[in-house]
């Protein structure tokens, strides 16, 4: 099913490109990520997102739209060939892989495909190669899912809701597995953002044939950008239940681009999730913009034993035409 879905989206992209050849962008990507831990016995390819990978992103936008009519407006096809050090093999990964329809008069939008769940923190910009992962990556095991997504305006707020398969990266139908998510908040281009989110459903858990009891949670999140783009503060609090047990989590993060030399930056994040046991991570590090659209990151990561222990993370990333 995964291959069939990707083939359909690729054919849609090619057809869209022929319809408006002057309205597309093609970017290439290369990511080299390594993790050093004395517990694992040395340096190895990073076992977590972002994996070492080669990829591309094809982005198409309709040249014009007709008010009062629904039509395909944007297609994003972002694929990677990534090395999975746990499985010790190269895998095809679909990242943002979706087709969006919209009605220009009302601004209503509908997306089909693989996209970020409308739950918790929404990044101000969809920056590629990010090494700091959201809280949902820790609590659910994934931050993106396959399904249908709808977005609309309500006054100065944006409302977004999604019905997804609950399978994460692979578009697999599992009996009883599904997720319903929704978020109401200020648009992501505001310097001060906040929102409230709801989640309910049964995500698929690896190694289980059927999902457990329904999960539910409520999240409150906020982002404050000061002296844009130099300082960004973010936070999220989740409360709810996971497989019949009380569950909750917290995320706090800071990114600081140095005004004296914008090629350098500092970033840090804390993630904590408790459901039965406790999993946590504290990250602190630096980033450097290099010539040729490359970025270098170096992190110290203090992690609980359930996440594989602490260590040093390094990343060299390229994304460009």
């Amino acid at each position: 099913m995964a291959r069939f879905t990707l083939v359909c989206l690729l054919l849609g992209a090619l057809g869209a490109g022929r319809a408006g050849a002057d309205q597309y962008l093609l970017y290439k990507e290369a990511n080299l990520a390594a993790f050093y831990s004395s517990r694992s016995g040395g340096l190895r390819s990073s076992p977590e997102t972002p994996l070492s990978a080669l990829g591309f992103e094809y982005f198409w936008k309709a040249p014009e739209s007709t008010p009062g009519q629904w039509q395909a407006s944007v297609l994003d096809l972002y694929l990677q060939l990534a090395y999975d050090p746990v499985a010790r093999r190269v895998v095809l990964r679909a990242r943002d892989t979706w087709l969006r329809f919209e009605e220009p008069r009302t601004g209503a939008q509908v997306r089909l495909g693989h996209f970020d769940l409308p739950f918790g923190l929404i990044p101000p910009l969809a920056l590629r190669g990010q090494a700091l992962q959201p809280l949902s990556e820790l609590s659910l095991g994934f931050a993106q899912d396959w399904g249908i997504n709808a977005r609309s305006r309500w006054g100065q707020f944006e409302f977004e809701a999604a019905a997804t398969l609950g399978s994460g990266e692979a578009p697999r139908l599992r009996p009883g597995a599904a997720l319903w998510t929704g978020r109401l908040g200020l648009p992501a281009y505001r310097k001060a953002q906040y929102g409230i989110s709801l989640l309910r459903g049964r995500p698929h858990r690896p190694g289980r044939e059927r999902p457990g009891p329904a999960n539910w949670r409520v999240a409150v999140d906020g982002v404050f950008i000061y002296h844009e783009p130099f300082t960004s503060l973010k936070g999220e609090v989740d409360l709810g239940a996971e497989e019949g047990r009380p569950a909750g989590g917290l995320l706090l993060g800071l990114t600081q681009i140095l005004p004296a030399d914008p090629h350098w930056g500092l970033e840090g994040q804390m993630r904590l999730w408790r459901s039965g046991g406790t999993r946590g991570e504290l990250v602190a590090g630096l980033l450097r913009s290099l010539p040729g659209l490359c970025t270098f990151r170096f992190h110290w990561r203090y992690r609980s034993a359930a996440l594989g222990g602490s260590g040093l993370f390094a990343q060299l990333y390229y994304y460009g035409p």
Side-chain angles (χ1 to χ4, degrees), residues 50-317:
L51 300 176
S52 295
L54 294 174
F56 74 91
E57 184 168 18
Y58 175 92
F59 188 84
W60 170 84
K61 186 178 186 302
E64 60 183 21
S65 56
T66 303
Q69 294 183 5
W70 283 91
Q71 66 180 49
S73 60
V74 177
L75 185 139
D76 194 354
L77 186 64
Y78 180 18
L79 302 176
Q80 292 179 332
L81 282 176
Y83 176 69
D84 185 344
V86 177
R88 296 185 178 181
R89 61 189 178 95
V90 175
V91 295
L92 177 63
R93 304 178 76 205
R95 309 303 292 164
D96 288 284
T97 307
W98 45 261
L99 178 62
R100 188 176 77 193
F101 299 85
E102 67 177 281
E103 197 285 293
R105 180 176 298 168
T106 62
Q109 300 175 354
V110 173
R111 283 191 296 176
L112 300 172
H114 191 240
F115 45 78
D116 289 323
L117 291 171
F119 183 83
L121 281 166
I122 304 296
L125 296 173
L127 298 176
R128 300 311 187 196
Q130 287 295 298
L132 299 177
Q133 300 302 305
L135 187 58
S136 56
E137 186 87 22
L138 184 63
S139 60
L140 289 174
F142 54 87
Q144 293 187 322
D145 203 5
W146 294 87
I148 183 171
N149 168 292
R151 176 187 293 180
S152 187
R153 288 287 185 93
W154 184 44
Q156 64 175 334
F157 295 94
E158 279 190 350
F159 174 72
E160 190 172 357
T164 59
L165 300 180
S167 60
E169 287 190 13
R172 296 171 181 168
L173 291 172
R174 301 286 187 179
L179 277 181
W180 303 86
T181 51
R183 182 180 185 274
L184 178 67
L186 288 174
Y189 56 78
R190 298 288 186 94
K191 291 186 177 181
Q193 307 156 33
Y194 51 86
I196 183 170
S197 310
L198 300 174
L199 177 149
R200 183 172 176 82
R202 295 178 171 88
H204 170 67
R205 302 292 187 184
R208 297 186 184 181
E209 293 186 3
R210 300 189 64 86
N215 297 346
W216 69 270
R217 64 191 63 158
V218 179
V220 178
D221 65 84
V223 177
F224 177 69
I225 301 174
Y226 175 73
H227 196 193
E228 188 176 6
F230 295 109
T231 306
S232 174
L233 297 167
K234 61 183 179 181
E236 178 182 339
V237 177
D238 293 16
L239 294 172
E242 185 173 88
E243 299 190 349
R245 300 186 301 265
L250 171 69
L251 182 149
L252 295 173
L254 166 68
T255 300
Q256 175 66 57
I257 304 299
L258 303 184
D261 188 354
H263 293 98
W264 287 94
L266 304 173
E267 55 186 8
Q269 180 173 276
M270 181 195 72
R271 293 189 300 169
L272 182 67
W273 184 255
R274 183 173 181 83
S275 175
T278 301
R279 290 168 287 166
E281 177 187 62
L282 178 64
V283 178
L286 57 85
L287 60 92
R288 165 74 179 180
S289 296
L290 302 174
L293 301 176
C294 291
T295 303
F296 173 75
R297 280 184 173 87
F298 184 78
H299 289 169
W300 169 75
R301 296 186 173 185
Y302 178 80
R303 305 187 301 177
S304 60
L307 296 177
S310 304
L312 300 174
F313 170 85
Q315 177 195 35
L316 181 61
Y317 183 75

